[in-house]
Amino acid sequence: MAMVKFTNTGQFADMPIYLNIDHITSVFEVPTDEGSLRTHVYSAFGKDTNVWVVQESLGQVIKAINKAEKVAP
C-alpha cells in the first residue's frame, strides 16, 4: 500500500493528508473566481467517495502518485 502526502485546504488548512494511491480515482484543477486553480483529489473505497482540495498543483500531485507507484511493492 503506497501512500502520498498532500496539504489540506479549507477546514483543515495546512494539515497533512495521506492518501492510498490505490484509491485515488481522479485528480483535476478547478478554476476559482479569483483566477487561480485549486487541485481536487477524488478517492473511492467501496461505496464511499471522498474529495480533498489540496495546496499542491495538479503536476505535483501526479508526480507524487507516479513516484509512489514506482516504490510500491
Side-chain angles (χ1 to χ4, degrees):
M1 169 179 62
M3 304 287 283
V4 287
K5 177 184 175 185
F6 300 117
T7 309
N8 268 311
T9 62
Q11 180 182 0
F12 300 104
D14 300 320
M15 298 294 296
I17 182 170
Y18 293 84
L19 301 176
N20 181 335
I21 64 166
D22 294 331
H23 298 274
I24 295 174
T25 57
S26 63
V27 180
F28 58 92
E29 291 179 321
V30 176
T32 67
D33 292 338
E34 295 81 27
S36 61
L37 296 171
R38 289 198 176 137
T39 306
H40 290 231
V41 180
Y42 279 81
S43 175
F45 185 75
K47 295 180 182 180
D48 296 325
T49 301
N50 299 294
V51 61
W52 293 272
V53 181
V54 298
Q55 289 181 3
E56 290 77 13
S57 70
L58 176 63
Q60 290 170 318
V61 170
I62 297 300
K63 186 175 181 177
I65 292 169
N66 288 337
K67 182 178 179 182
E69 285 180 328
K70 290 179 183 174
V71 296

